[in-house]
Amino acid sequence: MAPIRVGIVGFGFSAKAFQLPFFLALPEDFVVDAVYVRSPALVPEISSALPRATAYLSLQDFFASPVELVVFSTPPHTHCELALAALAAHKHVLVEKPFVTSLKEAESVLLKAKEVGRIVCVYQNRRFDSDFRLMRTLIGCSDINVPPHFPSVTGAVGTATNAPEGSSLVGALGRVVEFTTHYDRFRNGFRNPETGPMWKEDSRVPGTSILFDLGSHLVDQVLCLFGVPDSVYAVHVKDQRDLAAVAASSGHRNADGSAFAPTGDYMSMVLRYRGPPELVVNVHAGMLVRRTELRFEAHGTRGSVRKGGLDTQEAALKGVPAGSAAPLSEPGFGTEAPADWARLVTDGSASAGEEIRVEPPRGVYVELFRQLARAVQAGDANVSPVTPLEAWWVMRVLEAAMESSATNSVVALRDGPVQPPAGI
């Protein structure tokens, strides 16, 4: 079967570090044929990195090209319009997270994809993080090479499977009763203090808050582990760092000269699974966390685990020259240092109550691309790395969290009044 012809919209950091290396690493599945950019200044870099690809300055011409799969690495407020245009041109779509900026936009894109028989996949690469793969094992997944998807919303929650012979880690926690996930950073100011606010720090750009940026990944991972929760209670803080005051005192304004309006930089939510049995999930992301030591923590009927550090794939891909896939072939790619290995305590064994260090499996972002290739070749959205229904539910949880924070109330999800429309 011929490789899938890929077109990329945008040629910034995300495209060059998080998508392009994987397409280049899978030449039997993909060939990058086209890149669309607005600036002619980027054309020489594109030509150097991708000699076989055509650089387009016209979006209309780009969509008229014979590419089959279009990738968007652009600001979130552009995703809906671009995805609808790509689908109208009968292209498959891979779109960076956050998927779009509202549930209404999500539904319009997903229903259009259904109408034209094309796949829309959200780039949820963190389903393939090393630490998350370990959490899947400890919670009960007997084969982490099986693609991660949301369990049935009617199924039991946090129930361990029987461990295969010789595998003491599968389901080691027993039935999970509490799960905590953090994605914290420390940045007490603008990303670039000299130049001032970027678009990611401007609330006038929809979808830029920490809830949509990091929360998209955290919510998706939780739903992969436990399914859709019964309810959410959330706190979303607009300017915990008081960047508005920083901008005012330093004279920084937006690029168009308007006054800076900060976006959300703190979020915390409780996702409740009533069961029975009951499970509580805590989701947290902040920008004023000086010791970012906690990534996951879980407690179950047979054990507890605490995991620090971050998957190393992103760090390894930063600074990679455009057009290179070299880091993916390095022996240590996707592995973690021993200092970041999980700390596990379990009952009912010779070492009951003793802490053991557990090395996570290798992180494998490339698997998302392999699965996407199979889905596109089969023309089947249900085998996509992220299915339409999964993309819809992540957006629903994010919108419900915004509603919860604004109204200081618990918002129903699984059996709530807002449900996926027919056809998704």
Side-chain angles (χ1 to χ4, degrees):
M1 187 173 292
I4 298 161
R5 304 176 76 168
V6 177
I8 298 174
V9 176
F11 205 63
F13 170 70
S14 181
K16 290 184 284 189
F18 296 144
Q19 279 101 45
L20 189 55
F22 298 99
F23 287 127
L24 297 176
L26 299 171
E28 69 282 6
D29 291 324
F30 300 102
V31 58
V32 179
D33 260 6
V35 180
Y36 165 75
V37 289
R38 292 184 297 176
S39 171
L42 291 173
V43 173
E45 182 184 8
I46 295 168
S47 299
S48 175
L50 300 166
R52 294 181 53 186
T54 301
Y56 289 90
L57 297 174
S58 162
L59 196 57
Q60 182 177 0
D61 292 344
F62 172 84
F63 283 133
S65 73
V67 299
E68 301 163 88
L69 170 67
V70 175
V71 184
F72 299 126
S73 298
T74 57
H77 69 286
T78 67
H79 291 176
C80 180
E81 181 179 359
L82 288 171
L84 289 173
L87 293 168
H90 290 85
K91 314 294 186 185
H92 301 284
V93 172
L94 175 63
V95 58
E96 256 289 4
K97 61 81 196 165
F99 174 23
V100 284
T101 64
S102 70
L103 194 60
K104 182 179 179 180
E105 287 186 349
E107 291 175 355
S108 68
V109 171
L110 295 172
L111 290 172
K112 182 64 175 180
K114 180 78 171 181
E115 175 190 330
V116 300
R118 292 297 182 269
I119 290 167
V120 171
C121 178
V122 183
Y123 186 56
Q124 290 289 6
N125 59 320
R126 293 200 174 275
R127 292 187 181 192
F128 302 91
D129 279 355
S130 54
D131 46 21
F132 180 67
R133 298 182 81 207
L134 177 61
M135 291 302 111
R136 290 183 67 203
T137 298
L138 297 176
I139 287 172
C141 176
S142 59
D143 185 359
I144 58 171
N145 293 316
V146 173
H149 286 290
F150 297 178
S152 168
V153 296
T154 60
V157 170
T159 301
T161 60
N162 293 323
E165 186 175 354
S167 176
S168 60
L169 293 179
V170 177
L173 302 179
R175 176 174 54 80
V176 177
V177 298
E178 183 180 15
F179 186 84
T180 298
T181 175
H182 278 242
Y183 200 132
D184 299 318
R185 294 169 172 166
F186 178 69
R187 187 185 297 135
N188 195 6
F190 294 116
R191 289 169 181 257
N192 190 329
E194 294 183 3
T195 60
M198 297 172 56
W199 65 264
K200 278 194 171 185
E201 297 165 313
D202 184 356
S203 66
R204 298 177 310 156
V205 180
T208 56
S209 75
I210 198 169
L211 176 65
F212 279 76
D213 184 23
L214 301 181
S216 293
H217 280 315
L218 299 180
V219 167
D220 182 75
Q221 288 182 332
V222 169
L223 270 59
C224 277
L225 292 175
F226 306 113
V228 178
D230 288 284
S231 64
V232 59
Y233 177 78
V235 176
H236 181 236
V237 179
K238 192 140 185 99
D239 190 15
Q240 195 175 64
R241 296 171 291 173
D242 201 13
L243 291 186
V246 173
S249 64
S250 62
H252 285 312
R253 302 181 73 82
N254 293 312
D256 62 1
S258 59
F260 170 67
T263 190
D265 57 2
Y266 171 89
M267 57 143 284
S268 178
M269 67 176 80
V270 176
L271 299 171
R272 187 174 182 184
Y273 297 78
R274 290 185 175 274
E278 185 147 333
L279 164 69
V280 175
V281 175
N282 307 292
V283 182
H284 182 278
M287 298 297 290
L288 287 177
V289 183
R290 289 163 177 82
R291 295 175 65 91
T292 56
E293 296 175 342
L294 180 61
R295 180 65 182 90
F296 291 111
E297 187 172 63
H299 306 287
T301 54
R302 295 204 302 267
S304 295
V305 66
R306 185 180 178 90
K307 174 71 178 67
L310 284 174
D311 177 277
T312 61
Q313 294 173 92
E314 177 176 333
L317 291 166
K318 287 181 176 179
V320 174
S324 171
L328 279 66
S329 60
E330 294 176 0
F333 183 77
T335 63
E336 296 192 29
D340 290 331
W341 291 2
R343 300 173 181 270
L344 175 68
V345 178
T346 60
D347 306 330
S349 67
S351 60
E354 295 182 10
E355 180 182 276
I356 61 172
R357 303 301 297 273
V358 182
E359 180 180 7
R362 184 184 298 269
V364 284
Y365 290 170
V366 70
E367 284 303 313
L368 181 144
F369 293 84
R370 287 197 178 103
Q371 292 167 24
L372 178 60
R374 289 193 286 269
V376 169
Q377 290 161 354
D380 187 355
N382 291 319
V383 298
S384 172
V386 179
T387 68
L389 196 58
E390 291 169 346
W392 187 93
W393 270 113
V394 170
M395 287 304 304
R396 172 59 190 141
V397 173
L398 295 177
E399 276 208 351
M402 292 289 285
E403 178 187 346
S404 170
S405 181
T407 60
N408 191 28
S409 63
V410 174
V411 177
L413 289 169
R414 186 167 64 173
D415 297 321
V418 180
Q419 293 294 313
I424 292 182

